């Protein structure tokens, strides 16, 4: 009798194990099918082709990078890109021109590229391209915006690997920054946003200390002025000796670094 009960117990255990695996696999397949069904509409949406013109697609992008013959991959401020996009409405779509050598090249963060020789504007992807004629009346403004998009960009100014010499002025004192400290200075330059002129100029008037950072590269000569603790002004001297300028709200790290580390203002000598 004892032997018979033992066999029945073993059979029950085996049946229980089989049932467990059957239920497990049924539940697993059901969950997987539900997951596939739930992700299918999303995948279909992602695969949906954008049928807009390429110039409209590039106009809708926010992260834009521009290069010229001197510097590469400079992140363009949104305010400058917004002004560039306004000019697109004046461009006329044409066939591919016979002669075309771009002087500016750019791209969006998702792979749409563009270039221009200032007479024509090309937008392209791996599979397609579009060409547009830049109106003669617009050419000068277009060139100015693209140039300032690079050389007044906060991203451009803090690219310390392109710096050749850096001098910082405070009143009648000038200090030259050695190359091994370029990266340290660059790390203090933290942008918050591009701003207008009024508030920074007022801040400069109220500030006890203001500094001028002169940065020279192979192809440029930039001036970064602190306007109190919270603002800077970036200037580039143009061909006609007039200055293009842009104002930024920044982190106070730069101001504090110049006060305490570079000029050691307020530190008592022993």
């Amino acid at each position: 009798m004892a032997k018979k009960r033992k066999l029945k117990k073993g059979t029950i255990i085996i049946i229980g194990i089989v049932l467990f695996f059957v239920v497990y696999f049924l539940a697993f397949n059901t969950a997987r099918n539900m997951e596939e069904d739930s992700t299918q509409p999303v995948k279909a949406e992602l695969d949906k082709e954008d049928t807009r013109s390429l110039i409209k697609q590039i106009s809708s992008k926010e992260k834009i990078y521009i290069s010229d013959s001197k510097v590469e991959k400079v992140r363009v401020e949104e305010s400058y890109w917004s002004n560039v996009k306004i000019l697109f409405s004046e461009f006329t779509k044409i066939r591919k021109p016979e002669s075309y050598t771009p002087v500016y090249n750019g791209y969006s963060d998702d792979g749409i590229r563009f270039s221009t020789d200032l007479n024509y504007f090309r937008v392209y992807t791996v599979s397609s391209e579009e060409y547009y004629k830049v109106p003669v009346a617009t050419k000068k403004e277009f060139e100015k915006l693209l140039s300032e998009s690079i050389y007044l960009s906060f991203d451009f100014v803090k690219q310390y690997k392109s710096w050749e010499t850096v001098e910082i002025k405070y009143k009648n004192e000038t200090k030259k920054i050695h190359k091994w400290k370029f990266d340290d200075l660059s790390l203090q330059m933290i942008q918050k946003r591009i701003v207008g002129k009024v508030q920074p100029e007022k801040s400069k008037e109220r500030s006890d200390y203001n500094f001028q950072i002169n940065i020279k590269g192979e192809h440029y000569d930039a001036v970064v002025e602190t306007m109190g603790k919270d603002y800077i002004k970036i200037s580039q001297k143009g061909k006609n000796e007039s200055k293009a300028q842009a104002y930024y709200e920044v982190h106070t790290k730069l101001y504090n670094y110049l006060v305490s580390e570079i000029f050691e203002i307020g530190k008592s000598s022993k």
Side-chain angles (χ1 to χ4, degrees):
M1 293 294 290
K3 185 176 180 181
K4 187 175 181 181
R5 283 196 300 270
K6 186 176 182 180
L7 289 173
K8 285 184 177 180
K9 185 178 180 180
T11 303
I12 292 171
I13 292 173
I14 293 171
I15 293 172
I17 293 173
V18 172
L19 287 174
F20 169 78
F21 281 105
V22 170
V23 172
Y24 172 81
F25 283 114
L26 286 173
F28 175 79
N29 287 331
T30 301
R32 184 175 63 179
N33 291 335
M34 290 177 65
E35 183 179 355
E36 289 178 354
D37 292 341
S38 65
T39 58
Q40 192 64 32
V42 177
K43 185 177 185 303
E45 186 68 26
L46 292 174
D47 292 341
K48 187 177 180 181
E49 184 179 358
D50 193 337
T51 58
R52 296 175 300 167
S53 66
L54 292 178
I55 200 167
K56 286 188 178 296
Q57 291 183 44
I58 196 68
S59 295
S60 67
K61 308 304 177 183
E62 294 182 355
K63 291 184 179 180
I64 298 293
Y65 300 84
I66 295 183
S67 306
D68 64 7
S69 61
K70 301 171 185 176
V71 295
E72 295 183 346
K73 301 176 183 178
V74 174
R75 171 78 183 272
V76 179
E77 300 296 331
E78 289 185 21
S79 58
Y80 278 104
W81 183 239
S82 296
N83 290 331
V84 171
K85 291 189 296 185
I86 292 173
L87 298 182
F88 289 167
S89 62
E90 301 177 25
F91 293 4
T92 305
K93 190 174 183 181
I94 60 170
R95 293 181 179 179
K96 182 177 180 179
E98 294 182 2
S99 177
Y100 179 75
T101 304
V103 293
Y104 290 97
N105 293 277
Y107 63 93
S108 66
D109 58 337
D110 62 351
I112 299 179
R113 296 185 173 273
F114 62 92
S115 63
T116 182
D117 64 354
L118 302 175
N119 294 309
Y120 304 102
F121 183 75
R122 180 193 182 205
V123 196
Y124 60 101
T125 62
V126 174
S127 58
S128 60
E129 66 177 3
E130 296 171 359
Y131 282 90
Y132 293 83
K133 181 73 176 69
V134 180
V136 175
T138 306
K139 180 178 176 179
K140 187 174 181 180
E141 182 180 1
F142 188 42
E143 181 178 16
K144 180 177 182 290
L145 282 173
L146 292 179
S147 178
E148 291 183 0
S149 294
I150 293 176
Y151 294 100
L152 294 182
S153 166
F154 195 92
D155 180 50
F156 164 72
V157 169
K158 68 173 295 180
Q159 291 183 2
Y160 68 91
K161 291 183 179 180
S162 69
W163 297 353
E164 292 187 343
T165 64
V166 177
E167 292 183 346
I168 305 178
K169 294 182 178 181
Y170 168 64
K171 295 184 177 179
N172 295 323
E173 186 177 1
T174 300
K175 292 203 173 184
K176 186 173 182 179
I177 306 301
H178 296 291
K179 287 193 174 184
W180 60 83
K181 288 190 174 182
F182 283 1
D183 60 338
D184 197 25
L185 175 59
S186 176
L187 285 172
Q188 314 309 315
M189 298 180 179
I190 302 174
Q191 171 192 4
K192 290 186 177 179
R193 61 193 177 104
I194 193 168
V195 295
K197 176 181 179 180
V198 176
Q199 189 60 37
E201 292 291 351
K202 287 183 178 179
S203 177
K204 181 179 179 180
E205 292 176 2
R206 296 192 298 263
S207 178
D208 293 329
Y209 313 110
N210 289 294
F211 307 90
Q212 179 175 301
I213 307 172
N214 297 313
I215 302 173
K216 289 188 178 182
E218 183 179 356
H219 304 289
Y220 65 91
D221 189 348
V223 177
V224 179
E225 296 179 60
T226 64
M227 320 287 281
K229 293 182 178 181
D230 301 299
Y231 302 96
I232 64 166
K233 176 172 67 176
I234 298 175
S235 305
Q236 288 282 353
K237 188 170 289 188
K239 296 177 182 178
N240 58 356
E241 298 302 314
S242 64
K243 285 186 176 180
Q245 300 173 338
Y247 294 84
Y248 293 87
E249 183 179 1
V250 296
H251 196 282
T252 57
K253 282 184 67 175
L254 177 60
Y255 178 89
N256 295 335
Y257 178 78
L258 297 177
V259 170
S260 60
E261 299 297 327
I262 301 300
F263 289 93
E264 300 183 342
I265 297 173
K267 290 185 178 181
S268 59
S269 58
K270 294 183 179 180

